[in-house]
Amino acid sequence: MGEQCEVLPDECWELIFKLVEHHRFASLSLVCKRFLSLTNRLVVRLLISDSTLVLLPQLFRRFPRLRTIDLSEFHGDVDALLSLIAKSGLDLQSLCVSNQKSLPIDGLRVLGSKMKNLRCLNCSKNGTLQDRDLGLIAQLFPHLEELDISYPEHGYGYSSNGLPDWSSSSRPISDAGIYSLSEKLKGLRKINLSGNYFITDKSLDYLSMNCVLLSEFFIHYCGFITQNGIALVLRRCANLNSLSISGIGLPFVNLKACLPLNKLILAHCRNFTFNGISALLCKHQSLQYLDLEAANFLTDECMCELSKFLRSLTYLNLSMCNGVTNSSFFNLTINCPFLNEVKMVGTSLGAKDFTTGLVANSRVKSLNLAQNSSLCNDTIKRVAFICPNLSLLDVSNCVNITEEGVLKVLQRCSQIRYLGINHCSGIKTLSIDFELSKLEELCVRGLNIDDNGLATIGNRCQRLLQLDLAECFNVTAKGVKEVVRKCGLLREISLKWCNNVNVDVVAWMVFSRPSLRRIVPPPGFIPTESRRNLFLRHGCLICEG
């Protein structure tokens, strides 16, 4: 077998490794130098934080195929960092400069002169973003296909008449800036305008007229955008397949033609009704992704009718829809054969009796049922019967669920990789007496779990990668050491607000468990810069939760 592995071409190994999740590359790279080289070539995305700055030259050499760099967690000199990236020889296709105080203009100029293949730029949550910046972006990166300019963080005061005073700060993005952008970026396919409060329907007019390839629109909380602007987009953008709208009044307009729409988000939108959404879904029955969060008019009867148009659906969000209960969930799992992910946070799931004749749907893999106060053991057991192949289940803040219900789910759904039971006050401990060989992420924030419970987790969940123990006031360093000893693959652990955990356990974990990459320490842990760097050299980042 070893000889066969040696003669297998690199191309074959790359195809095999591409089927492996990236967080497992670290283990593969330890097998041999050849696997190290191959996994290095497959890493295409890098998140740069302040603590990784000193390692950048080595990282750029180690991962020559990096295509995406994310600077959203970097708070140093972004211009200097972009200049360094420009000299790296990388061929970037995507860059995120989100969460910065201002747009790093000088750094982007240097980068734009070197990297001609940039297709995706994220400038979201960027302070002082304004019209002239949009012109510069279009000039530096004329081949952009995706642009995110959402939620610019402008600071301004108010004049005596109560209107914003822009005299001492930059003016926000306006329709003029969007017009200039649309004139220069003809190849734009995706744009996020969310949170730009001063643009109007004119911006949608310019984009839909000049950027004929646009296929994805994100328009959340733009107060001067109306249904007329949305109607323009729907009429003109023949390639539109994803439309995301939130916080906008939206009486639906009848469409004369069907778009190739496969993703529709109407979260927290006002004024639209069952008749409007029904007419729209009837014409777009190939829809795969639907988000109707906070559509308060929805009832079980409505969802029964709508589910007839959703046979292609793979994702559905009905969170904050108080009128939907068990009946909606069961009808959807029957009528939507391709359904993979369901989000029903804060609904009335569990409030009504169950229907008979439950039918299993093996395709449903992800359920977020958090904040359902009526959800109880009986309901969650039946949910597990319907969805036996779950890999993700979140029932956080479901106060009527107890240990019994959770254990029944885990016995039925042996493929679960993520379990979220944060703040489930009915769960006092986890007396697991069977192996959870697939479980990788466990979130028990705010539970009364103690050291004995941690010992059980360590014994039964030995493939665990992430463990969130924040606000678990009954655990001590003894229990933490026990679970860290047993979980040999553990990469992340949070001890935030664990007041009874001695701070000395942090150093013990770093040196005892080499797989750890991120630790949120308990209260009172204040490392020196030299000690933080020492932990980082061992591959572990100490950070706030």
Side-chain angles (χ1 to χ4, degrees):
M1 182 64 182
E3 292 179 359
Q4 292 175 344
C5 289
E6 279 298 318
V7 298
L8 199 63
D10 285 356
E11 291 79 4
C12 293
W13 279 119
E14 285 195 17
L15 290 173
I16 294 170
F17 290 166
K18 284 179 180 178
L19 300 175
V20 178
E21 294 171 335
H22 277 196
H23 65 255
R24 300 188 184 278
F25 281 2
S27 300
L28 287 172
S29 66
L30 297 175
V31 174
C32 61
K33 290 184 177 180
R34 188 182 182 200
F35 278 17
L36 173 63
S37 175
L38 286 169
T39 52
N40 285 347
R41 279 190 272 169
L42 292 177
V43 174
V44 296
R45 183 181 184 278
L46 179 64
L47 172 65
I48 298 177
S49 61
D50 299 349
S51 57
T52 56
L53 185 61
V54 295
L55 304 174
L56 283 186
Q58 300 96 304
L59 291 175
F60 290 157
R61 289 193 295 269
R62 180 178 176 183
F63 306 123
R65 293 188 184 176
L66 284 175
R67 296 294 179 265
T68 298
I69 288 184
D70 185 345
L71 306 183
S72 60
E73 295 186 9
F74 182 74
H75 304 102
D77 189 340
V78 183
D79 287 303
L81 179 52
L82 289 174
S83 297
L84 178 64
I85 295 171
K87 298 173 185 175
S88 66
L90 297 173
D91 184 17
L92 284 190
Q93 296 176 359
S94 177
L95 175 68
C96 176
V97 288
S98 179
N99 296 318
Q100 302 302 322
K101 292 181 179 179
S102 61
L103 193 70
I105 294 174
D106 293 337
L108 289 176
R109 287 186 190 278
V110 178
L111 192 78
S113 67
K114 298 286 186 180
M115 299 192 177
K116 305 297 184 181
N117 292 324
L118 199 74
R119 295 292 185 270
C120 176
L121 181 62
N122 185 341
C123 303
S124 63
K125 299 179 182 177
N126 216 297
T128 70
L129 197 65
Q130 51 191 307
D131 287 346
R132 66 185 181 190
D133 295 324
L134 299 188
L136 178 67
I137 288 170
Q139 176 187 339
L140 295 175
F141 307 107
H143 303 299
L144 276 183
E145 296 178 0
E146 300 181 15
L147 179 62
D148 188 340
I149 53 172
S150 61
Y151 301 106
E153 298 181 348
H154 287 272
Y156 53 84
Y158 291 89
S159 61
S160 57
N161 60 8
L163 297 175
D165 180 8
W166 303 107
S167 59
S168 59
S169 60
S170 63
R171 295 180 178 275
I173 290 172
S174 70
D175 294 330
I178 299 297
Y179 175 74
S180 174
L181 188 79
S182 69
E183 283 277 284
K184 297 172 183 175
L185 295 181
K186 301 289 188 180
L188 207 59
R189 296 177 180 271
K190 176 180 177 180
I191 189 164
N192 191 339
L193 301 171
S194 302
N196 283 283
Y197 307 114
F198 292 92
I199 63 173
T200 71
D201 290 341
K202 288 182 179 180
S203 288
L204 300 189
D205 183 14
Y206 301 145
L207 287 165
S208 60
M209 179 173 58
N210 295 326
C211 305
V212 297
L213 299 179
L214 271 170
S215 60
E216 293 188 59
F217 258 105
F218 292 82
I219 316 167
H220 297 184
Y221 301 102
C222 297
F224 292 113
I225 298 290
T226 72
Q227 65 268 22
N228 295 325
I230 302 299
L232 272 178
V233 170
L234 292 171
R235 285 200 302 269
R236 286 183 181 164
C237 297
N239 295 303
L240 190 68
N241 59 44
S242 176
L243 180 60
S244 181
I245 308 169
S246 290
I248 294 175
L250 198 66
F252 271 110
V253 180
N254 250 340
L255 299 179
K256 296 182 179 179
C258 286
L259 297 165
L261 204 61
N262 58 45
K263 184 174 183 179
L264 180 63
I265 299 175
L266 300 174
H268 298 272
C269 287
R270 306 179 303 277
N271 299 333
F272 76 103
T273 64
F274 169 74
N275 290 335
I277 190 64
S278 180
L280 187 64
L281 296 181
C282 180
K283 294 180 179 180
H284 297 87
Q285 297 191 30
S286 62
L287 205 67
Q288 298 173 11
Y289 187 111
L290 179 61
D291 186 339
L292 296 175
E293 183 168 317
N296 292 322
F297 60 84
L298 289 178
T299 63
D300 289 334
E301 292 74 20
C302 292
M303 288 311 305
C304 183
E305 290 298 313
L306 294 181
S307 67
K308 298 173 183 178
F309 308 134
L310 302 175
R311 294 193 59 80
S312 298
L313 206 66
T314 61
Y315 173 93
L316 177 64
N317 183 4
L318 294 177
S319 297
M320 310 305 165
C321 296
N322 298 324
V324 297
T325 71
N326 307 343
S327 177
S328 292
F329 180 81
F330 301 137
N331 280 327
L332 288 163
T333 56
I334 293 171
N335 294 335
C336 306
F338 300 104
L339 197 60
N340 178 270
E341 183 175 355
V342 179
K343 189 175 181 182
M344 291 179 66
V345 176
T347 65
S348 296
L349 189 64
K352 291 187 177 180
D353 291 336
F354 270 87
T355 57
T356 57
L358 303 180
V359 178
N361 185 327
S362 60
R363 284 183 176 266
V364 177
K365 301 294 177 61
S366 175
L367 287 179
N368 187 344
L369 308 179
Q371 300 176 36
N372 280 286
S373 58
S374 298
L375 195 61
C376 59
N377 289 343
D378 183 55
T379 304
I380 201 66
K381 290 176 190 176
R382 292 176 183 255
V383 166
F385 176 85
I386 294 170
C387 309
N389 290 336
L390 281 180
S391 61
L392 182 151
L393 177 65
D394 194 337
V395 289
S396 298
N397 294 287
C398 294
V399 295
N400 287 318
I401 291 178
T402 69
E403 179 190 18
E404 177 199 353
V406 171
L407 293 182
K408 288 294 184 183
V409 171
L410 293 174
Q411 287 175 327
R412 167 71 173 171
C413 307
S414 60
Q415 301 299 310
I416 284 186
R417 294 188 175 189
Y418 174 98
L419 178 64
I421 50 177
N422 299 322
H423 299 288
C424 288
S425 55
I427 300 174
K428 306 304 180 184
T429 187
L430 286 175
S431 302
I432 308 168
D433 59 359
F434 51 91
E435 297 296 320
L436 296 174
S437 58
K438 301 290 186 180
L439 192 64
E440 295 180 348
E441 187 169 355
L442 178 61
C443 299
V444 294
R445 181 178 290 237
L447 293 196
N448 290 322
I449 194 167
D450 58 14
D451 290 345
N452 291 330
L454 287 187
T456 300
I457 291 172
N459 288 325
R460 301 302 184 186
C461 312
Q462 296 188 12
R463 306 292 296 180
L464 209 59
L465 300 176
Q466 299 179 43
L467 178 60
D468 187 352
L469 297 171
E471 303 174 62
C472 292
F473 303 124
N474 293 332
V475 302
T476 71
K478 178 184 176 182
V480 172
K481 287 184 177 181
E482 188 67 20
V483 77
V484 170
R485 282 194 193 99
K486 296 292 178 62
C487 299
L489 302 177
L490 195 65
R491 294 177 65 84
E492 297 186 19
I493 186 169
S494 175
L495 301 172
K496 189 173 184 179
W497 298 316
C498 292
N499 298 327
N500 289 317
V501 176
N502 191 295
V503 295
D504 293 340
V505 78
V506 175
W508 179 90
M509 288 191 293
V510 172
F511 299 122
S512 300
R513 178 54 60 213
S515 63
L516 274 171
R517 294 291 176 265
R518 183 175 182 270
I519 296 175
V520 179
F525 182 80
I526 306 175
T528 62
E529 189 67 24
S530 61
R531 200 171 198 196
R532 190 184 291 273
N533 290 335
L534 174 63
F535 293 158
L536 188 59
R537 287 197 294 273
H538 279 76
C540 189
L541 178 66
I542 310 299
C543 55
E544 297 296 325

